Structure formats: structure tokens, C-alpha cells
Amino acid sequence: MLSGFNVEKMYQYLLIALAFLLPLTVFGANLVIVTICLLWIFSGNYKSKFLEIVSNKLVVASILFFLLHLMGLLWTENISWGLHMLHKMWYFVGLYPILFTIVKKENIYTYIFAFLLAISVTEVFSYLIWFELIEPFKNATVRNPIPFMSHISYNPILAFAIYLVLHQIVFNKKMSNIKVTLMSFFVITMIINMFITGGRAGQVIFFVMLIIFSFQVFYKQKLKAFILICMAFPLIFFSAYQSSEIFKDRFDDAINDVVTFQQNSNTSVGMRILFFSNSLELFKNNPIIGVGTGDFVNEYFKVSAVNTPSFPLTTNPHNMYILILSQLGLIGLLSMLSIFYYQVKLSFNSPNKLIRDTGLMLPVIFLVLMMSDSYLLGHYTTLLFIFFSSFLYKNFEDS
């Protein structure tokens, strides 16, 4: 349909641009996404695209997850909020299948490099703000120097970037000594950046990532992996605790919130516990199909009015599992978990160690992250999840 125009080459330029813009700008990334989608829609070859999409169980599971949200409108009273939730979930039915059909095996390392280059840009600005060499801008403050997104999204994405670089340092034997030195320096700066910013969930993910990575390095020598973990964890934690004011304060606050929960529930951790408790009641009342895609807000307000009338309301329980259970019941949870099941299963099919190991790390990161917030609803983290899934779990031999 687009005769005389090299669509395939344009796709690759756009994918590289998307990888670079992913952690930097919502508008820029969305502009690239719209361009990719329009090109895909008008480029023809619909039968081959359809066959490629339905041949991958992960893509099918992703589409079914969205369709379940669509079906959830049937038992929803608040249609407007239900449509709002559908809009947040469109990546799973609109963007993921499209990206899956256009990614190229030979460009995977270029996608990853573009993403890491963008992370280095965020780091530079973060340090410039932290050292007070430039004025804070957008979301950043000197205390929490993250300009392009909130710490809720930034630190998990940073942890994933640290993993990608660590994996190359350890397993890419073709790298020169200069590249190893530069990438080692890059890792050190990212780890420091992890703890001068305020994302506690991302910091937890960093330690989870280190555990998985240690066993990937010493998969035949588990004792060495265990010893490495026992040495690295205290060293990194206490170094960060002693040198980073924001890490120390937020860690102390979290411990204090848990200890004093019975006396004072109106804290960051305390409110999350109350959100979970109230939302769990929604699930217990509607265990199979939930309250519907759009009725979490209305039903939560009713429960909160009885159980916790003096506490703030919420539109999000800050836990992806309980949100899905509340909205779509056990059927919804099983649908979501099927996505992660196929990610883990397909990751073992790749002969490429980076793809195989990263394909396992990505679902592990999100399975842990989703205990603290709805990370498949946020722009930055959902786009990261979808973008990397588009090539980590594709069998290029069949394409």
C-alpha cells in the first residue's frame, strides 16, 4: 500500500528512536508510537501479520488480557472509568502485537544500546542537579534528582538498565578492555544514582536483580553465588545507608511505618496496607469475575466508608495483583499471570544468553514490582515491559 517507500527500514529507525525516548519523554515516545502504528496499519500484508501474531502464545495471552478488561465492561456500572482503564491497557492489544511483527533480530543490540544511551542522559542530568550545577527542572529536586519521570518509575527502570550492562560486562567476552572499563564505570554511577534517588521499590528490585544475576553467573556453583550475595548485600546497603540521606530517611520511614501501624495508619506504608485490606474485601465479595473493569473506584469508596471512613480514598490500591482481583477476579489474575508464565517459558527457547537471561529477569522484576504498585498501568514501566517483550520472546527462526 505504501509503494516506493521502504517501510521496513523506517520501522527500524522508529524502534531505535522509541528505545531512546522511552525513559526521557512521554510526548516523544507517544509520537513515535503513533507513527509506527499508522505505518503498520497502512502497510498491508495483513494476513501474514495476523498469522505471526497468533503463532506466539505470549502475544495471544496479552491480547486476551486486554479483551478480558473489555468484557469486564459488561458488569460495570461506571463505564467512563472502565474506558479509562481500557485506555491504560491498550499497549497489550494495540502496541505489543505491532512491535512484535516489526522487530528484527539483527537490531536487538541496537535497541538495547539506544535505551542505555538514554539512561546515561538521565544520569548526567540527575548528577548535575544533585551537585547543584544546574537548577532542578520538571520533576526533579536537589534531594530527589529525577527530572524526566517520578522515582516510582525511574528506579525500577534504572535497576533493569544496571542488569543489562552487568550482563554484558560478565558474559560478553568479545568486549575490549576499554569497553569493559567504561561499562564498569557506567554501572558504578548507576548504582550510586539508584541510592541518591527516592524510589524504594526500585531499590528493592535492585537487590532482587542482584540475587538472580548472581545465580545466573554461578549457575553451576550455587555456593559461590550465595557467598557473593552475602558479601555484596551488606556492603551496598550500609554504604548507601551511610552516604545517602534520602535512602536513609526513606528506609527509616518505611520501618517506622510498619512498627507504628497500629498507632498511626496514616503513613505511606500504612495507607498501602489499608488500601490492600479494603480492596481484598472487594475480591472476597466478587471472587470469580470481580466488580468489573470500571467499578473499583465506586466499590472501594463504599467499603472505605464503612471500614476506614476517616482515611483518604484511592483509585488504585498500589498493588497490581489486588487491583486485578478486585476488577476481574480470579479469572483476571490467571489471565495476567499467563503472560508471565509464557515469558518465562519462552525465555528458555533462545540460544542467545543475553536474550535468555534477560527474558527471565524481566518477568521476575515485574512480578515483584507489582506487589507495591500497579506497574502495568504506568506509561514508562508499561512501555518498557511491552518494548522489551516484543523481541525477547520472539522466535526469529520462524519469522
Side-chain angles (χ1 to χ4, degrees), residues 181-222:
T181 301
L182 290 174
M183 295 187 78
S184 299
F185 176 75
F186 186 25
V187 164
I188 292 170
T189 62
M190 285 194 289
I191 293 174
I192 294 172
N193 198 234
M194 172 68 67
F195 293 101
I196 65 171
T197 50
R200 286 182 295 204
Q203 291 159 359
V204 171
I205 287 301
F206 169 77
F207 287 110
V208 172
M209 177 273 292
L210 282 185
I211 293 174
I212 304 299
F213 181 68
S214 297
F215 281 102
Q216 287 178 342
V217 175
F218 299 108
Y219 69 99
K220 292 183 178 179
Q221 299 170 299
K222 293 181 175 55

Side-chain angles (χ1 to χ4, degrees), residues 214-274:
S214 297
F215 281 102
Q216 287 178 342
V217 175
F218 299 108
Y219 69 99
K220 292 183 178 179
Q221 299 170 299
K222 293 181 175 55
L223 180 60
K224 284 188 177 181
F226 179 75
I227 293 172
L228 177 62
I229 292 166
C230 291
M231 292 174 61
F233 270 42
L235 177 63
I236 295 174
F237 176 84
F238 287 111
S239 296
Y241 189 84
Q242 293 296 326
S243 59
S244 172
E245 180 182 350
I246 190 171
F247 177 72
K248 179 180 184 301
D249 290 347
R250 287 182 63 79
F251 178 80
D252 290 346
D253 288 345
I255 297 297
N256 184 67
D257 290 353
V258 173
V259 172
T260 62
F261 174 71
Q262 296 297 332
Q263 294 77 34
N264 178 23
S265 303
N266 194 15
T267 62
S268 176
V269 175
M271 292 307 301
R272 277 175 160 78
I273 295 173
L274 292 180

Side-chain angles (χ1 to χ4, degrees), residues 92-196:
F92 290 90
V93 73
L95 184 60
Y96 183 33
I98 289 175
L99 294 183
F100 180 79
T101 62
I102 65 176
V103 291
K104 296 294 184 184
K105 180 180 180 180
E106 59 269 23
N107 290 330
I108 288 176
Y109 283 89
T110 307
Y111 306 150
I112 294 174
F113 175 79
F115 168 72
L116 292 176
L117 182 62
I119 294 296
S120 69
V121 171
T122 66
E123 262 205 286
V124 168
F125 281 106
S126 180
Y127 279 115
L128 287 175
I129 293 168
W130 192 57
F131 285 117
E132 299 186 60
L133 297 176
I134 63 172
E135 288 294 319
F137 62 96
K138 296 186 72 174
N139 302 313
T141 63
V142 173
R143 177 175 166 80
N144 195 19
I146 307 173
F148 300 111
M149 66 185 85
S150 75
H151 60 264
I152 296 172
S153 299
Y154 178 71
N155 288 67
I157 291 175
L158 185 63
F160 185 65
I162 292 171
Y163 173 78
L164 292 173
V165 179
L166 276 176
H167 197 283
Q168 284 296 287
I169 292 172
V170 174
F171 293 110
N172 189 346
K173 305 303 181 183
K174 296 180 180 179
M175 285 201 305
S176 65
N177 291 335
I178 294 177
K179 286 185 178 180
V180 170
T181 301
L182 290 174
M183 295 187 78
S184 299
F185 176 75
F186 186 25
V187 164
I188 292 170
T189 62
M190 285 194 289
I191 293 174
I192 294 172
N193 198 234
M194 172 68 67
F195 293 101
I196 65 171

Side-chain angles (χ1 to χ4, degrees), residues 297-312:
V297 176
N298 292 355
E299 296 302 318
Y300 182 88
F301 288 6
K302 293 175 185 178
V303 171
S304 180
V306 175
N307 295 344
T308 52
S310 62
F311 288 91

